[in-house]
Amino acid sequence: MIINFSSSPPSSSYSFTRFINSKSPISDFPSKPKTHFSKYPSSSNFNQYSSSNPSFHTKYRFFRDNGRYPHGKGESFKTCALSGFDLSGFESAQSVLEAAAVLTAIIVVHESGHFLAAYLQGIHVSKFAVGFGPILAKFNAKNVEYSIRAFPLGGFVGFPDNDPDSDIPVDDINLLKNRPIFDRVLVISAGVIANIVFAYVIIFAQVLSVGLPVQETFPGVVVPEVRAFSAASRDGMLPGDIILAVNGIELPKTGLNLVSEVVGVIKNNPRRNVMLKVERGKQDIEISVTPDESSDGTGRIGVQLSPNIKFSKVKPKNLTEAYNYAGHEFWGLTNNVLDSLKQTFLNFSQTASKVSGPIAIIAVGAEVAKSNIDGLYQFAAVLNINLAVINLLPLPALDGGSLALILVEAARGGRKLPLEVEQRIMSSGIMLVLMLGLFLIIRDTLNLDFVKDLL
């Protein structure tokens, strides 16, 4: 998570998007970690109408309980983590580029919202930059400098309001600071609006092109893997078995904690028989398993467990159905992002360590890109929604902070706060964001597997 500054003062707002990197509970049994966004996901990112930069924190919900339609309150299964991310190989390099392209496109859309809202109202704009840092290429058109900068993880729109080198008179009505409150609110909020619209467009494109993934839940818990020479192997369990009951208690068809419940019974019964009703093929059989005792005194049988779910895709029959599918999916993802944000604030001490920066976003996005196109669509949609939601928070350095200052101005009967006070408020927020961003970039980089191998 990095942030860059426009040459113009804080007549621009700094935005900040968050992603939650949550992990589904995994049993203590030896298991093979899996990463999928497409089979499973709340986030941090910087952006603003004067500057943008990403950071990350999210709990995704990509698949929903099955019904006729792919919507509803879904379950979260797994997210990907930085650990295990490998940059080696052509496929990984390609997926990194795809993830970086998605992130850059989202930032460009956000900044374009600010830019177009100003430009179409005749408000003076001096700069539009993709990236931050040293300029790699630039051109000028209609008194606006368009540039591509060295680090493509941010962007900004610059306004000449307080630029000492500007030839525009300070009382020019087309300077942003001299416009009515409504005009300024529109410019500041346009980035958020652009991301919301873009998120819907992405989901609509997914619905039309590949369809929406739908999750159907079945009774029991699947055993994808059985370790050789383990208690499960010794007592006759096979990969592909489905556990339907434990000690005579039938497992329900749905439930977030089915795997945890089975794990709990096994852990609590070291060296004691556990009766499992197992579906194998078209037959139900009873298997008595005696868990081995772990070093901590708990039982284990040496299997990997996962929910008994199957995935399919549903495609609309007509445009009306497509709009309905996309709308339900959009609101479902939005509710998930809002719920994640709420949980983050309510349990900040537990979730703060999961906030990550642009390195983490690209790492996660690359893993998604290597999985399948479904995950990449929803990864992009969730990033947009996160960016929009976070930017509305009334905090300094965010679009919401600038909107809050305008509300204060409106409450004061149109009298602005002194410029020095506004600059002090925005500068303090920007410095905090900058320090946090630098910390997250360093931490996330050190967490990459190939970096760990070098150290």
Side-chain angles (χ1 to χ4, degrees):
M1 182 174 70
I2 306 177
I3 193 166
N4 73 293
F5 300 93
S6 164
S7 60
S8 42
S11 61
S12 318
S13 53
Y14 281 84
S15 322
F16 172 32
T17 307
R18 216 178 33 74
F19 247 51
I20 297 171
N21 187 7
S22 64
K23 297 181 182 178
S24 62
I26 299 175
S27 77
D28 290 339
F29 307 124
S31 62
K32 185 168 52 181
K34 292 186 178 179
T35 298
H36 14 227
F37 269 37
S38 58
K39 293 188 179 176
Y40 141 39
S42 343
S43 156
S44 215
N45 186 17
F46 282 87
N47 213 313
Q48 129 180 16
Y49 67 91
S50 96
S51 171
S52 59
N53 253 339
S55 69
F56 180 81
H57 186 52
T58 204
K59 183 179 92 178
Y60 294 68
R61 183 202 51 158
F62 281 0
F63 288 79
R64 310 279 190 308
D65 289 333
N66 193 26
R68 173 64 181 84
Y69 302 109
H71 59 270
K73 193 88 171 170
E75 304 176 33
S76 299
F77 291 102
K78 259 177 219 207
T79 59
C80 66
L82 282 180
S83 178
F85 178 70
D86 185 8
L87 289 177
S88 61
F90 173 78
E91 182 183 355
S92 292
Q94 182 180 6
S95 63
V96 168
L97 290 176
E98 290 173 353
V102 168
L103 183 58
T104 301
I106 290 170
I107 292 171
V108 169
V109 165
H110 185 95
E111 299 305 332
S112 295
H114 293 307
F115 176 84
L116 289 174
Y119 190 79
L120 293 177
Q121 292 185 89
I123 296 172
H124 295 302
V125 180
S126 57
K127 294 182 179 181
F128 184 101
V130 176
F132 56 89
I135 296 176
L136 300 179
K138 69 176 181 177
F139 69 92
N140 289 278
K142 297 183 178 180
N143 298 319
V144 179
E145 178 191 272
Y146 300 87
S147 62
I148 298 176
R149 308 207 171 204
F151 306 105
L153 297 179
F156 64 88
V157 175
F159 297 88
D161 291 36
N162 297 292
D163 186 353
D165 297 326
S166 174
D167 297 328
I168 302 173
V170 294
D171 59 351
D172 190 312
I173 193 174
N174 288 324
L175 287 175
L176 180 64
K177 65 181 181 181
N178 296 332
R179 280 302 188 99
I181 287 178
F182 178 80
D183 293 355
R184 283 180 281 145
V185 167
L186 185 58
V187 172
I188 294 172
S189 57
V192 167
I193 296 171
N195 283 125
I196 291 173
V197 172
F198 193 34
Y200 182 86
V201 169
I202 290 170
I203 295 171
F204 189 73
Q206 178 187 6
V207 169
L208 291 179
S209 59
V210 298
L212 282 179
V214 181
Q215 168 192 309
E216 187 173 3
T217 305
F218 295 90
V221 172
V222 177
V223 183
E225 180 181 336
V226 178
R227 271 200 166 184
F229 310 110
S230 65
S233 175
R234 181 177 64 240
D235 293 330
M237 294 192 70
L238 298 176
D241 285 348
I242 300 174
I243 301 174
L244 300 177
V246 180
N247 287 334
I249 301 175
E250 297 284 337
L251 298 179
K253 181 176 180 179
T254 60
L256 294 175
N257 301 315
L258 286 185
V259 172
S260 299
E261 289 173 8
V262 176
V263 170
V265 174
I266 300 299
K267 292 178 71 173
N268 292 331
N269 288 278
R271 298 184 181 180
R272 292 194 293 268
N273 289 342
V274 176
M275 291 301 301
L276 302 178
K277 180 182 177 182
V278 172
E279 177 185 314
R280 181 177 295 168
K282 295 183 179 181
Q283 294 183 335
D284 291 350
I285 60 176
E286 298 283 343
I287 297 179
S288 177
V289 179
T290 304
D292 295 327
E293 187 172 357
S294 302
S295 57
D296 60 358
T298 60
R300 65 175 181 180
I301 61 174
V303 296
Q304 178 187 353
L305 302 176
S306 64
N308 189 11
I309 54 179
K310 293 182 181 179
F311 299 98
S312 60
K313 290 181 182 177
V314 59
K315 296 189 74 171
K317 298 175 182 176
N318 50 57
L319 279 179
T320 301
E321 207 169 62
Y323 284 119
N324 288 336
Y325 283 6
H328 285 301
E329 184 74 359
F330 174 81
W331 286 114
L333 292 176
T334 301
N335 287 334
N336 192 255
V337 169
L338 293 173
D339 180 66
S340 173
L341 181 63
K342 171 185 166 185
Q343 294 303 319
T344 298
F345 283 117
L346 293 178
N347 304 285
F348 187 75
S349 59
Q350 287 79 30
T351 58
S353 61
K354 296 179 182 178
V355 177
S356 303
I359 300 298
I361 297 178
I362 291 179
V364 172
E367 290 297 309
V368 172
K370 286 194 292 186
S371 175
N372 59 49
I373 191 66
D374 297 327
L376 199 57
Y377 273 114
Q378 297 215 334
F379 173 75
V382 170
L383 269 180
N384 272 285
I385 296 170
N386 272 273
L387 181 58
V389 170
I390 296 301
N391 268 305
L392 286 176
L393 295 178
L395 302 174
L398 306 185
D399 289 349
S402 295
L403 290 173
L405 290 177
I406 293 180
L407 289 178
V408 171
E409 176 186 335
R412 287 163 50 91
R415 291 183 296 113
K416 296 181 180 180
L417 291 174
L419 180 61
E420 291 183 0
V421 174
E422 285 194 12
Q423 289 181 333
R424 193 174 299 119
I425 292 172
M426 298 302 292
S427 297
S428 63
I430 290 170
M431 286 305 298
L432 288 174
V433 166
L434 179 62
M435 293 170 62
L436 176 62
L438 183 61
F439 165 76
L440 292 176
I441 283 183
I442 295 173
R443 189 197 66 185
D444 293 345
T445 301
L446 294 176
N447 281 336
L448 294 172
D449 278 359
F450 86 99
V451 174
K452 290 181 180 179
D453 293 340
L454 295 175
L455 297 178

